[in-house]
Amino acid sequence: TTVQLESSRENTDRGPPEQDQPNPTTTNKVKFALLTANDTEFKTVRHFFGKTCPGMEEYSYKDEPDLAKVVKFEHEFARDSKEQLGYDLITIGEVQGIHLKCGFKYGTEAARNAVSDILDEAEEKGWQLEIIFCTGCCGCSFAKADQNYRGHVLISNRLIDYNQGKYEDDGQVHSEKLYPMNTDWCNWLFKMEEGPNPVKVSKAESILSGDWVMKKKEIADKLRDKQKIVGIEMEGAGIAKGLDAISEPKCKTKLPRGMRPSDFLIVKGVSDNAGPDKNTLQPTWYHGKETKPVDDKKRQEMATLQSTALVCRAIAKHMRN
């Protein structure tokens, strides 16, 4: 069997456009970071927070009764050079958070670098960061035939870095690196699916993360092995490695007080079945209903909107200053 894999590609727009620097003291309530990967995910999240992107679904925090009065897009932090961190500052209820894109590329290494940048900034500005979320879209491999998981937001407290696995003679992948993710937030997100804009949420046995875009279902199924359902994406392993490395005693940058290496969560909506359906028109689940067949870009947008809404609902309900 020929393995059709596509390596991570160049991503040239690091973050929000440059503007005047706001006073850094306004960010001392930053408790969470919201990380996105590619341009579609980045623009879609900003669209949800009110920075309207023409052509996207007309859906934002204003359509969420529990968010409409508590969410505020504060401003964009400028960056004077490629080395500086550019991000959006967002208020949800009592707390602030930042939204940023992985960097000039997406994938494992870009996500790891972004985590390092976030924690450097947290240390410099005195943020009491509690958790890093990664929202957007992912692929899905599952054992149950004829099931449409497109549009479902997958949640798991287990992340597997399959880059560290080894293809054996039996065609399976062994010795992958397992990272735990935050169980409390995992449980809270499961309770956020109801509302005027319902989101279908499915429990994944694990999230598989590595540096390849899957275009061959057989390979995705081998990675899944005996698990019933898994998400497949590209940034989680980098976040896990970044937090793991910074927790080492020899690292100069330190985790914010009370934060653990497992305080991150991959919350992504399914846009494809990790196979050839990526390039075809397919129905997806959006706000509790199955849509007509739409293209991959539209499925990515819908998946990102729903995963972002789910995270924001949970933050509004469970995070306090």
Side-chain angles (χ1 to χ4, degrees):
T1 302
T2 301
V3 181
Q4 294 182 349
L5 299 175
E6 183 176 303
S7 179
S8 55
R9 294 163 291 179
E10 186 103 350
N11 195 354
T12 56
D13 182 12
R14 165 114 193 193
E18 299 180 11
Q19 292 190 359
D20 293 335
Q21 281 270 17
N23 188 338
T25 60
T26 63
T27 67
N28 57 8
K29 294 182 180 179
V30 169
K31 295 274 190 175
F32 67 91
L34 194 60
L35 193 60
T36 47
N38 62 33
D39 285 334
T40 297
E41 292 172 346
F42 179 72
K43 292 175 181 177
T44 303
V45 170
R46 301 190 91 216
H47 179 80
F48 181 80
F49 285 118
K51 303 293 283 186
T52 304
C53 186
M56 285 192 183
E57 295 294 313
E58 294 183 2
Y59 175 50
S60 75
Y61 74 91
K62 296 177 183 178
D63 299 305
E64 293 279 323
D66 293 335
L67 297 179
K69 295 182 180 180
V70 300
V71 171
K72 183 180 179 183
F73 187 103
E74 296 281 358
H75 42 234
E76 305 153 13
F77 263 45
R79 62 192 192 286
D80 296 325
S81 69
K82 291 183 179 181
E83 286 72 36
Q84 287 187 315
L85 185 66
Y87 55 85
D88 301 327
L89 184 66
I90 297 156
T91 296
I92 301 179
E94 298 179 7
V95 300
Q96 289 178 324
I98 62 168
H99 163 233
L100 71 159
K101 192 165 61 173
C102 279
F104 294 100
K105 293 182 179 180
Y106 55 85
T108 300
E109 192 61 28
R112 181 172 181 166
N113 291 338
V115 167
S116 179
D117 290 342
I118 291 168
L119 294 175
D120 283 343
E121 194 87 351
E123 191 169 58
E124 179 184 332
K125 290 188 164 63
W127 296 345
Q128 294 301 308
L129 195 67
E130 293 182 5
I131 189 164
I132 297 174
F133 295 103
C134 186
T135 65
C137 55
C138 66
C140 179
S141 175
F142 49 91
K144 189 176 180 180
D146 302 323
Q147 176 73 36
N148 180 16
Y149 282 105
R150 298 182 199 91
H152 287 224
V153 175
L154 300 184
I155 300 174
S156 176
N157 63 354
R158 290 164 35 97
L159 183 130
I160 293 175
D161 177 5
Y162 68 78
N163 275 347
Q164 297 189 28
K166 182 180 179 182
Y167 287 92
E168 300 287 4
D169 292 337
D170 60 5
Q172 298 299 315
V173 179
H174 302 283
S175 304
E176 308 99 326
K177 175 73 172 178
L178 174 65
Y179 293 94
M181 294 189 283
N182 189 290
T183 300
D184 288 338
W185 280 98
C186 187
N187 292 333
W188 290 334
L189 284 164
F190 274 117
K191 301 175 182 178
M192 297 291 114
E193 57 185 330
E194 300 298 331
N197 302 297
V199 177
K200 281 192 170 291
V201 179
S202 291
K203 182 178 181 179
E205 292 187 50
S206 59
I207 303 296
L208 308 183
S209 187
D211 266 331
W212 304 100
V213 177
M214 291 291 166
K215 288 192 173 182
K216 196 75 173 178
K217 188 176 183 300
E218 291 84 351
I219 301 301
D221 290 344
K222 285 180 180 179
L223 287 170
R224 172 171 55 82
D225 199 7
K226 297 178 182 178
Q227 300 177 89
K228 292 181 180 178
I229 176 173
V230 298
I232 303 178
E233 58 87 67
M234 300 174 65
E235 286 70 42
I239 296 172
K241 289 177 180 177
L243 289 170
D244 215 33
I246 288 173
S247 66
E248 294 291 328
K250 63 182 179 181
C251 186
K252 293 181 179 180
T253 302
K254 300 300 179 184
L255 288 171
R257 185 176 180 180
M259 191 177 186
R260 304 160 300 176
S262 61
D263 285 334
F264 73 102
L265 203 61
I266 308 303
V267 187
K268 295 191 175 185
V270 177
S271 58
D272 61 75
N273 292 338
D277 66 317
K278 190 183 292 285
N279 301 320
T280 61
L281 298 177
Q282 298 289 343
T284 189
W285 287 95
Y286 188 62
H287 291 163
K289 298 179 180 179
E290 196 170 32
T291 70
K292 65 181 182 180
V294 293
D295 63 25
D296 184 53
K297 185 174 185 296
K298 181 60 68 175
R299 296 196 304 270
Q300 288 186 31
E301 291 173 3
M302 291 176 171
T304 302
L305 284 170
Q306 294 187 117
S307 63
T308 303
L310 204 69
V311 167
C312 290
R313 292 173 189 175
I315 290 172
K317 185 174 179 63
H318 294 286
M319 189 171 276
R320 297 290 179 267
N321 190 28

